[in-house]
Amino acid sequence: MTDFFGDIAPIRYEGPDSRNEFAFRHYDADAVIAGKTMREHLRFAVAYWHSFAWEGGDPFGGRTFDRPWYPQDTMEAMRVKADAAFEMFRILGAPYFCWHDLDVRPEGASFAESRDRLFEWVDYVQPKMKETGVKCLWGTANMFTHKRFMSGAATNPDPDVFAYAAATVKSCIDATHRLGGENYVLWGGREGYETLLNTDMGRERQHYGRFLQMVVEYAKKIGFAGTILIEPKPQEPSKHQYDYDVGTIYGFLKDFGLEGEVKLNIEQGHAILAGHSFEHELHLARQLGILGSIDMNRNDYQSGWDTDQFPNNVPEVALAYYEILKNGGLGTGGTNFDAKVRRQSIDPEDLILSHVGGMDVCAAGLKAAAAMLKDGELEKALTERYAGWDGEAAKTMLSGDLEQAAARVEAENLDPQPRSGRQERLENLVNRYVG
Amino acid sequence: MTDFFGDIAPIRYEGPDSRNEFAFRHYDADAVIAGKTMREHLRFAVAYWHSFAWEGGDPFGGRTFDRPWYPQDTMEAMRVKADAAFEMFRILGAPYFCWHDLDVRPEGASFAESRDRLFEWVDYVQPKMKETGVKCLWGTANMFTHKRFMSGAATNPDPDVFAYAAATVKSCIDATHRLGGENYVLWGGREGYETLLNTDMGRERQHYGRFLQMVVEYAKKIGFAGTILIEPKPQEPSKHQYDYDVGTIYGFLKDFGLEGEVKLNIEQGHAILAGHSFEHELHLARQLGILGSIDMNRNDYQSGWDTDQFPNNVPEVALAYYEILKNGGLGTGGTNFDAKVRRQSIDPEDLILSHVGGMDVCAAGLKAAAAMLKDGELEKALTERYAGWDGEAAKTMLSGDLEQAAARVEAENLDPQPRSGRQERLENLVNRYVG
Amino acid sequence: MTDFFGDIAPIRYEGPDSRNEFAFRHYDADAVIAGKTMREHLRFAVAYWHSFAWEGGDPFGGRTFDRPWYPQDTMEAMRVKADAAFEMFRILGAPYFCWHDLDVRPEGASFAESRDRLFEWVDYVQPKMKETGVKCLWGTANMFTHKRFMSGAATNPDPDVFAYAAATVKSCIDATHRLGGENYVLWGGREGYETLLNTDMGRERQHYGRFLQMVVEYAKKIGFAGTILIEPKPQEPSKHQYDYDVGTIYGFLKDFGLEGEVKLNIEQGHAILAGHSFEHELHLARQLGILGSIDMNRNDYQSGWDTDQFPNNVPEVALAYYEILKNGGLGTGGTNFDAKVRRQSIDPEDLILSHVGGMDVCAAGLKAAAAMLKDGELEKALTERYAGWDGEAAKTMLSGDLEQAAARVEAENLDPQPRSGRQERLENLVNRYVG
Amino acid sequence: MTDFFGDIAPIRYEGPDSRNEFAFRHYDADAVIAGKTMREHLRFAVAYWHSFAWEGGDPFGGRTFDRPWYPQDTMEAMRVKADAAFEMFRILGAPYFCWHDLDVRPEGASFAESRDRLFEWVDYVQPKMKETGVKCLWGTANMFTHKRFMSGAATNPDPDVFAYAAATVKSCIDATHRLGGENYVLWGGREGYETLLNTDMGRERQHYGRFLQMVVEYAKKIGFAGTILIEPKPQEPSKHQYDYDVGTIYGFLKDFGLEGEVKLNIEQGHAILAGHSFEHELHLARQLGILGSIDMNRNDYQSGWDTDQFPNNVPEVALAYYEILKNGGLGTGGTNFDAKVRRQSIDPEDLILSHVGGMDVCAAGLKAAAAMLKDGELEKALTERYAGWDGEAAKTMLSGDLEQAAARVEAENLDPQPRSGRQERLENLVNRYVG
Ligand SMILES: [Co+2]
Ligand SMILES: [Co+2]
Ligand SMILES: [Co+2]
Ligand SMILES: [Co+2]
Ligand SMILES: [Co+2]
Ligand SMILES: [Co+2]
Ligand SMILES: [Co+2]
Ligand SMILES: [Co+2]
């Protein structure tokens, strides 16, 4: 094992009054709320990329971190990095991890070599997974960093790139399957455009839809029992991305007959960039039956790029888990931290403590959400507000036609009076649990 | 007739070098380009509401205008207003107008009286339409101003409001039908929410979908041959509106089997508020087969509310008409100015000249777009970029499976090389036509 | 007294576990923290305008509220409204209120009548203030609603409007002085522009600066001992407002020699609209010595217009009060709720409970801020981070020149190494107090 | 010389009807308008960094370009790159270039070596400048890429970094001076913060102000006759940058007595990111006497990060040059393209043609602006709008006090009536020149 994290001991739960920054104040993995342990509810996953592959660069600056696995271009570095990663999983008590092919191993000189290296990494980590009990929440393919994908992967104007993307996804599903991964994710950062002037959205959308069908068919064929997930994001790196938000993807899935096959991995930060609250996207996906998993990393509300920060606002997080609890949980999905420490947070402790803080914020949010749901006042208010629709007359109206509905207005000289929406009272109610 | 506009004579085309602000420099209604007159291409419509019903208020200020038809709460005012409106249509040579029920007549004490007043207005303007040749592009119901709709119309938690909305839309379709209107529009400013805490999106979405089905069925029943249109907008007045953007509405229409029945009325300003360029929304709607009509009013890019300004940027407008020309035109749709003069533009001349400027900008944009399409360089670049997909191998790949595509990568040791996207060259090309 | 609020009893503190929505869970007015009672720290004020003058309209809808003082155009309505207002102050236990002239009385037929009516209101409420102990935090003039101000007040192109604005402000300062108001506020919603095409910012800025000097001189002359405050806002209703944000106003005050005479009333919502966090604006104003008072109402982060909502996020509010505590409090300033209930919140209870919730969120934030400051870990981290600057060498460098500083780099072959910024650890630390 | 650009011949002016993409349609360098040649008005500069140092990476992707001077870490690469750069300057007929130290040469192992390498580059390009006549518009120091600057340069919590920054700027001013540069620019991408939790803005602001004073003093001492310029930007890479916008910097300069010593280099894209139009920032800087130079690169209005695109909208650019003409030109400043080709624009032709398009858009804008100013209608409308302020009564009022102004309102029973702001008419007027 590496000694990268020095003598940092596994993080333990010490309760809300603890002043030990290396302890959980809320996340008590084995504590049971709403019928399951917190571990089972939250299903935390650490992302390989931000914590182990990203070197601290931004559009105006280069590497700030200094890690034993740099430079990352050898298979020996692959192993040193994997050792450190599993050490961090162990310290955190994180039950899952997530990965892209490019995070875990350097590309080879040919596709075949790249694929072989990926499987070599699989071989390397499988014993570690067994030993630590850490599992793979999902795998995914990085089809946005290499210049071959600069104009898209499945939506590239060059069919050879589509083929390359197919090969890449196949290898990543294969690897995910071998690792017992519980989901497979697609995020299409380059599936979009920089300028409409050189883009045929109709054609690209057809290719993208067909690609996704092929992915679903292949996963079935090999017996991959996990969920196929798409992650929405409106823009960045592209000017516009096809997977804009939940509403947009829903129409896309319907068009290709995939609304029963594919679910969504929803990221708080991407919801915000699309002009939505996180709970909006979760609520909508829940109602449409396509809520799959979450990336629990916030975006700065005022920075127009993807900041991928750890969550730190319990009231916001509570509303997210409230939707998840109403969804009956996330099924095979989980809570992935697609979050990176700031590039000035250069110490190994920063890596650990950012996750500790994020896990604790989620745990606090979950507890609040569970209490809200159990007490039931919010649900009761909702039920009462729509009670009129539970009556027979309303049901009859819905199954009737426009003239019938209109006729009643005149027959009864209807003059419906507004009732208070009580927004502030409901906000106060929520604050009982998080304030 | 009113003398509100004094002695302003009908606006004539005088050509690009005219310095007469009461003349068109680009809009030559009878001039033929791309096989149709400019009048037929552009199908300009004036909106009753902004020009005749809005009094110059904003969230921080009251009425600034002074019009002979104020206060607008009598049926006599209805007539004075209609007289002025038709005088303006005549001065502008605008072939169409659009209206909400609440723009054209005051509400009555009951629904029946409101409806009767609407028909009284219909009776009043029909002779004017005949006399002037001005036609109705579309009618619509204002279901957002009155407090009964404060929590939604079709999506209201109170079924009686749904009924009231049904009656209202029925009366407005009836009026549109009587006026020979070529489309009927729905804009759901209150079909959304202020807070998720009191909202069941699933339930509201079902009611909304059913409502739309009922509208479509009724229009068919009465033999209304026009197009039913929905107008997307992401937010304002609501925190979130269900008709967010083209992509979102597409999924909604699919869910209720309406994608072949309903098209979209796309507003430049709403596209911008949703984070899209206008041409993006037009392009997407075109590709999805649901482009119906446009509201040609821009939003300030940096004001986060609906500014509904007249278009004034020819390069932007040219890209919009380029999409429309590629769509084969707008069918029954047209170019509506859902635009208002600034509240400081208090003179009658401002009303006229804002429209003159807007019409001229559209005409200039149309000419540029037609020339671009005719010269064909932009289309040629597009065709070349995707040429690879026209080959048999690409088609075979699309009808094959993931493994077959992947197998070729290894068999041929594919290493696809990027080709320039040429964005700046294409931008330069466009500037040949508009710069 | 009016019976508008029915039998709602004065709100009492019941502690964090109370489930009574008509009680405070955090605001215990007489409880002492950090050396002062919560009442003295927070200095809560209710705004006359949002709660008593606004009728529930928005850009797309009209009045939704139904109040005994409607229509508001008589002096009898002035009295009914004032009765209800003081009843609410009493119920809430709010020590202060704030007002515009237009909120409290209808305009008269001439300036003189308008001014006399204002003083009549002063006479009417003075006994109430004495009786209830409720005081005036600040008064201000509404110079944005009437059409005479549509192109600005002090910055109007018409000098007569400048004069009218001068008369208006004079009357409002006089009234504030008579009421014993502790501050006087200027907010220049129309001191900006809609389009640069008709605007001479240089000239308008000079007029605005001179106007402010005249205001300061007059306040001194009459012995008004309160603070003169400007409230920043970047835009809305204007496209651009001269009082954009703290940084901009600072330069403006310096230009007119007013940086020692005028302080700022900073609104959370306006900070957000300007692209800043609230704590940023407070921190900057504190460092520049111009932090005066706060408007504690949030803006929806994703709505581009002024939503003026009650605060509901304790972690955010805590960071604001942390800055205020570091400022040594707000002096004559206070915590004004420039907040309105949503237009669907139509019941009298909504008015009360929105304030109760807002007051409680502020109280919880204050408690957290005081505890953070007392424990001192955040301050300690800050001190350590800048410790290098406390040494003699650093001070010498600052008083030296560029060459001397540069020479040391070579002489010592300096290669400064980065130290972690520890952002996540500090965020975790803050969450100990609010999470 | 390199043959990187193949046989691309110098770009010539061919007039508006040219269809040769390798020709100017508007930029006729020697043509005289408004008393100067276009070359003298526009003073175009090419930026070394975007065109020669940036490799096509973005936050989600790596290098896409392939250049003969890669990898850029040797002094031989410095020469190959400089050869290509000067070849491009010659092809474009660009009279100026701009640079950062890090663009032109690789860093050395010590500060001294870095500085020596910079001077070696100076020695290398001086003969080229003499030969081609291409001059240095400005130089600047890159104090944001290296990790030593991750927490700021002059505002770093570590005084040693301040010293390093001083040495760096000294070396860059020295180099600029040797090259005969006409300005020296500072852009403080890291002079800001990521989180207020670890930041003392007061202290950092003092250090920053002192640093700027030291720079000004040093420039004077060595006889550098050029202008010292600061470039505003609100955020990115930092969450908040101290040089937010023109208004903010003005207050900062006043605080440190530098408003007569330092001017601004204003970038269109940064204006937009700060919520302002470009013409707003230019107008304000003009009125404050601190307009120095421009970075003529646009930001996508809907991408919240710095997109640094070439200008392509003539109407917008015309309004910018209108302000510049009213400023009497830019003095020692110029029109720098701080613009990069999109990362998919990988061909050498893209580099050339993006600049050709940008130069042509600027030339077209300049021509329109000059014609507008010459015709004088826009200015005339402005003069008339403010005419009231030219009278004696208005001047007397401004030099009087609040009571005097107020007294006149009552004495004359003033009731000022609004006059139309004529926004749309003025927009139409502008469109005569650009539409
Ligand atoms: Co993200
Ligand atoms: Co993600
Ligand atoms: Co609109
Ligand atoms: Co519209
Ligand atoms: Co506000
Ligand atoms: Co306020
Ligand atoms: Co930039
Ligand atoms: Co720049």
Side-chain angles (χ1 to χ4, degrees), chain D residues 84-380:
Chain D
F86 274 81
E87 186 163 343
M88 188 164 99
F89 305 157
R90 188 183 57 82
I91 291 172
L92 293 173
Y96 290 99
F97 70 98
C98 302
W99 55 272
H100 300 82
D101 47 357
L102 192 61
D103 311 327
V104 298
R105 57 94 189 103
E107 257 201 46
S110 66
F111 174 78
E113 188 182 17
S114 293
R115 194 240 0 251
D116 291 345
R117 286 177 166 193
L118 179 62
F119 293 154
E120 196 176 328
W121 168 76
V122 168
D123 292 337
Y124 186 73
V125 297
Q126 274 181 323
K128 294 175 179 288
M129 290 171 66
K130 195 159 193 179
E131 179 195 330
T132 58
V134 176
K135 291 180 289 184
C136 169
L137 185 65
W138 45 263
T140 189
N142 178 321
M143 303 198 294
F144 44 89
T145 296
H146 194 280
K147 71 178 179 180
R148 76 173 65 86
F149 299 120
M150 75 176 196
S151 307
T155 62
N156 201 292
D158 180 352
D160 281 358
V161 179
F162 183 104
Y164 205 99
T168 302
V169 170
K170 180 182 174 301
S171 70
C172 289
I173 297 183
D174 288 342
T176 303
H177 194 36
R178 285 185 52 195
L179 291 171
E182 303 188 17
N183 308 269
Y184 183 80
V185 167
L186 295 108
W187 174 66
R190 304 281 176 204
E191 313 293 22
Y193 61 78
E194 282 306 303
T195 175
L196 267 178
L197 296 181
N198 68 13
T199 304
D200 181 333
M201 280 178 72
R203 198 157 198 171
E204 295 200 0
R205 199 170 172 276
Q206 288 302 319
H207 298 167
Y208 196 28
R210 179 61 197 134
F211 187 86
L212 191 55
Q213 289 171 333
M214 289 160 74
V215 169
V216 168
E217 290 157 10
Y218 179 71
K220 282 186 182 166
K221 181 177 173 190
I222 63 168
F224 177 71
T227 309
I228 304 293
L229 297 164
I230 288 189
E231 178 167 337
K233 188 176 179 186
Q235 59 166 198
E236 200 212 17
S238 301
K239 156 69 180 158
H240 175 88
Q241 277 146 240
Y242 298 140
D243 303 327
Y244 200 80
D245 58 8
V246 171
T248 299
I249 294 180
Y250 181 68
F252 171 73
L253 292 177
K254 292 277 292 184
D255 239 13
F256 292 92
L258 294 168
E259 71 273 23
E261 308 284 349
V262 174
K263 286 191 160 55
L264 301 199
N265 181 47
I266 301 177
E267 175 175 317
Q268 183 182 20
H270 300 174
I272 287 166
L273 288 171
H276 308 301
S277 68
F278 191 29
E279 59 267 27
H280 168 88
E281 289 288 82
L282 296 173
H283 182 123
L284 181 56
R286 171 170 68 81
Q287 298 276 16
L288 297 172
I290 54 175
L291 173 53
S293 197
I294 61 170
D295 271 9
M296 183 45 104
N297 44 293
R298 71 186 165 99
N299 212 71
D300 186 293
Y301 280 106
Q302 302 183 307
S303 301
W305 62 94
D306 199 10
T307 64
D308 285 336
Q309 291 174 266
F310 285 87
N312 73 349
N313 191 291
V314 173
E316 289 184 358
V317 168
L319 293 177
Y321 282 108
Y322 191 73
E323 290 295 336
I324 289 166
L325 289 173
K326 288 181 73 169
N327 195 56
L330 290 169
T332 61
T335 298
N336 176 46
F337 292 110
D338 183 2
K340 57 190 184 203
V341 293
R342 300 303 85 195
R343 73 191 284 271
Q344 295 183 44
S345 298
I346 58 178
D347 295 341
E349 286 84 352
D350 294 314
L351 269 182
I352 298 293
L353 292 173
S354 58
H355 282 86
V356 169
M359 291 164 81
D360 240 11
V361 163
C362 290
L366 172 68
K367 287 193 291 187
M372 270 198 293
L373 200 58
K374 186 176 171 210
D375 289 356
E377 290 195 52
L378 206 53
E379 286 312 286
K380 184 157 161 277

Side-chain angles (χ1 to χ4, degrees), chain A residues 13-186:
Chain A
Y13 173 73
E14 296 187 359
D17 297 329
S18 171
R19 302 197 135 231
N20 173 9
E21 65 175 345
F22 287 90
F24 294 119
R25 296 185 307 110
H26 296 287
Y27 181 55
D28 185 5
D30 294 310
V32 173
I33 54 174
K36 287 195 287 195
T37 64
M38 294 180 82
R39 183 186 294 106
E40 289 163 333
H41 276 291
L42 291 163
R43 298 170 59 86
F44 286 126
V46 173
Y48 226 92
W49 50 100
H50 283 316
S51 291
F52 302 104
W54 181 57
E55 301 188 349
D58 70 15
F60 293 83
R63 187 211 290 182
T64 57
F65 302 150
D66 189 21
R67 307 293 192 225
W69 54 92
Y70 292 173
Q72 304 190 53
D73 55 2
T74 64
M75 289 302 278
E76 174 54 21
M78 173 278 277
R79 285 183 287 272
V80 178
K81 180 160 54 172
D83 292 350
F86 274 81
E87 186 163 343
M88 188 165 98
F89 305 156
R90 188 185 55 84
I91 291 172
L92 293 173
Y96 290 99
F97 68 100
C98 301
W99 55 272
H100 299 83
D101 48 356
L102 192 61
D103 311 327
V104 299
R105 58 93 188 104
E107 256 200 46
S110 66
F111 174 78
E113 188 183 18
S114 294
R115 193 238 4 247
D116 292 345
R117 286 176 166 194
L118 178 61
F119 293 153
E120 195 176 331
W121 167 78
V122 168
D123 293 338
Y124 187 73
V125 297
Q126 275 181 323
K128 293 174 181 289
M129 291 171 65
K130 194 156 194 181
E131 180 196 330
T132 58
V134 176
K135 291 180 287 183
C136 170
L137 185 65
W138 46 263
T140 188
N142 178 323
M143 302 198 295
F144 44 89
T145 295
H146 194 280
K147 70 178 179 180
R148 76 173 64 88
F149 298 119
M150 77 177 193
S151 306
T155 64
N156 201 291
D158 180 352
D160 281 358
V161 179
F162 182 104
Y164 205 100
T168 302
V169 170
K170 179 182 175 301
S171 69
C172 289
I173 297 183
D174 288 342
T176 304
H177 194 37
R178 287 185 49 196
L179 290 171
E182 303 188 17
N183 308 269
Y184 182 81
V185 167
L186 295 108

Side-chain angles (χ1 to χ4, degrees), chain A residues 95-318:
Chain A
Y96 290 99
F97 68 100
C98 301
W99 55 272
H100 299 83
D101 48 356
L102 192 61
D103 311 327
V104 299
R105 58 93 188 104
E107 256 200 46
S110 66
F111 174 78
E113 188 183 18
S114 294
R115 193 238 4 247
D116 292 345
R117 286 176 166 194
L118 178 61
F119 293 153
E120 195 176 331
W121 167 78
V122 168
D123 293 338
Y124 187 73
V125 297
Q126 275 181 323
K128 293 174 181 289
M129 291 171 65
K130 194 156 194 181
E131 180 196 330
T132 58
V134 176
K135 291 180 287 183
C136 170
L137 185 65
W138 46 263
T140 188
N142 178 323
M143 302 198 295
F144 44 89
T145 295
H146 194 280
K147 70 178 179 180
R148 76 173 64 88
F149 298 119
M150 77 177 193
S151 306
T155 64
N156 201 291
D158 180 352
D160 281 358
V161 179
F162 182 104
Y164 205 100
T168 302
V169 170
K170 179 182 175 301
S171 69
C172 289
I173 297 183
D174 288 342
T176 304
H177 194 37
R178 287 185 49 196
L179 290 171
E182 303 188 17
N183 308 269
Y184 182 81
V185 167
L186 295 108
W187 174 66
R190 306 279 176 204
E191 312 294 22
Y193 62 78
E194 282 305 304
T195 176
L196 267 178
L197 296 181
N198 69 13
T199 304
D200 182 333
M201 280 178 72
R203 198 156 198 172
E204 295 199 0
R205 197 170 173 276
Q206 288 302 319
H207 298 167
Y208 196 28
R210 178 61 197 135
F211 187 86
L212 192 55
Q213 289 172 333
M214 289 160 75
V215 168
V216 168
E217 290 157 10
Y218 179 71
K220 283 186 181 165
K221 181 176 173 189
I222 64 169
F224 177 71
T227 309
I228 305 292
L229 297 165
I230 288 189
E231 179 167 338
K233 189 176 179 186
Q235 59 168 197
E236 199 211 20
S238 302
K239 156 69 181 160
H240 175 88
Q241 276 146 238
Y242 299 139
D243 303 328
Y244 200 79
D245 58 9
V246 171
T248 300
I249 294 179
Y250 180 68
F252 171 74
L253 294 177
K254 292 277 291 186
D255 240 13
F256 292 93
L258 293 168
E259 71 273 22
E261 307 285 348
V262 174
K263 287 190 160 57
L264 301 198
N265 182 45
I266 301 178
E267 176 175 316
Q268 183 181 22
H270 300 175
I272 287 167
L273 288 171
H276 308 301
S277 68
F278 191 29
E279 59 266 28
H280 167 88
E281 289 289 80
L282 296 173
H283 182 124
L284 181 56
R286 169 170 69 83
Q287 297 277 15
L288 296 172
I290 54 175
L291 173 53
S293 196
I294 62 171
D295 271 8
M296 182 46 103
N297 43 294
R298 70 186 165 98
N299 212 72
D300 186 292
Y301 280 106
Q302 302 183 306
S303 302
W305 63 94
D306 199 10
T307 65
D308 284 337
Q309 291 174 265
F310 284 88
N312 73 348
N313 191 291
V314 173
E316 290 184 358
V317 168

Side-chain angles (χ1 to χ4, degrees), chain B residues 52-320:
Chain B
F52 301 104
W54 181 58
E55 301 188 349
D58 71 14
F60 293 83
R63 187 211 289 182
T64 57
F65 302 150
D66 190 18
R67 307 294 193 224
W69 55 91
Y70 292 174
Q72 305 190 53
D73 55 2
T74 66
M75 288 303 279
E76 174 55 22
M78 172 277 276
R79 285 183 287 271
V80 178
K81 180 160 54 173
D83 292 350
F86 275 80
E87 188 164 341
M88 188 163 100
F89 305 157
R90 189 185 54 84
I91 291 172
L92 293 172
Y96 290 99
F97 70 98
C98 301
W99 54 272
H100 300 83
D101 48 356
L102 192 60
D103 311 328
V104 298
R105 56 94 187 105
E107 257 202 45
S110 66
F111 174 77
E113 189 183 18
S114 294
R115 192 238 3 247
D116 292 345
R117 287 177 165 191
L118 179 62
F119 293 153
E120 196 177 328
W121 167 77
V122 169
D123 293 337
Y124 186 73
V125 297
Q126 275 181 321
K128 293 174 181 287
M129 291 171 65
K130 194 157 195 181
E131 181 196 328
T132 58
V134 176
K135 292 180 285 184
C136 168
L137 185 65
W138 46 263
T140 189
N142 178 323
M143 302 198 296
F144 45 89
T145 296
H146 194 281
K147 71 178 179 181
R148 77 174 63 87
F149 298 120
M150 74 177 197
S151 306
T155 62
N156 201 291
D158 180 353
D160 280 358
V161 178
F162 182 103
Y164 205 99
T168 302
V169 169
K170 179 182 175 302
S171 70
C172 289
I173 297 183
D174 288 341
T176 303
H177 194 36
R178 285 184 51 195
L179 291 170
E182 303 189 17
N183 307 270
Y184 183 81
V185 167
L186 295 108
W187 174 65
R190 305 280 176 204
E191 313 293 22
Y193 62 77
E194 283 304 304
T195 176
L196 267 178
L197 296 181
N198 68 13
T199 304
D200 181 332
M201 280 179 74
R203 198 156 197 173
E204 296 201 359
R205 197 170 174 277
Q206 287 302 318
H207 297 167
Y208 196 27
R210 178 62 196 134
F211 187 86
L212 192 55
Q213 289 171 334
M214 288 161 76
V215 168
V216 167
E217 290 157 10
Y218 179 70
K220 282 187 182 165
K221 181 177 172 189
I222 65 169
F224 177 71
T227 309
I228 305 293
L229 297 164
I230 288 190
E231 178 167 337
K233 188 174 179 187
Q235 60 167 197
E236 200 212 17
S238 302
K239 157 68 181 160
H240 175 88
Q241 276 146 238
Y242 298 139
D243 303 327
Y244 200 81
D245 59 8
V246 170
T248 299
I249 293 179
Y250 181 68
F252 172 73
L253 293 177
K254 293 276 293 184
D255 238 13
F256 292 92
L258 293 168
E259 71 275 21
E261 308 284 350
V262 174
K263 287 190 159 57
L264 301 199
N265 182 47
I266 301 176
E267 176 175 315
Q268 184 183 20
H270 300 174
I272 287 167
L273 288 171
H276 308 301
S277 69
F278 190 30
E279 60 266 27
H280 167 88
E281 289 288 81
L282 296 173
H283 183 123
L284 181 56
R286 171 170 69 83
Q287 298 277 16
L288 296 173
I290 54 174
L291 173 53
S293 197
I294 62 171
D295 271 8
M296 182 44 103
N297 43 292
R298 71 187 165 99
N299 212 72
D300 186 292
Y301 281 106
Q302 302 182 307
S303 301
W305 63 94
D306 198 9
T307 65
D308 284 337
Q309 291 174 264
F310 285 88
N312 73 348
N313 192 289
V314 173
E316 289 184 359
V317 168
L319 294 177

Side-chain angles (χ1 to χ4, degrees), chain C residues 227-264:
Chain C
T227 308
I228 305 293
L229 297 165
I230 287 189
E231 179 168 337
K233 189 176 178 187
Q235 60 167 197
E236 200 213 17
S238 301
K239 156 69 180 159
H240 175 87
Q241 277 147 237
Y242 298 140
D243 304 327
Y244 200 80
D245 59 7
V246 171
T248 299
I249 294 180
Y250 181 69
F252 171 73
L253 293 177
K254 292 276 293 185
D255 239 13
F256 292 92
L258 294 168
E259 71 273 22
E261 308 285 349
V262 174
K263 287 191 159 58
L264 301 198

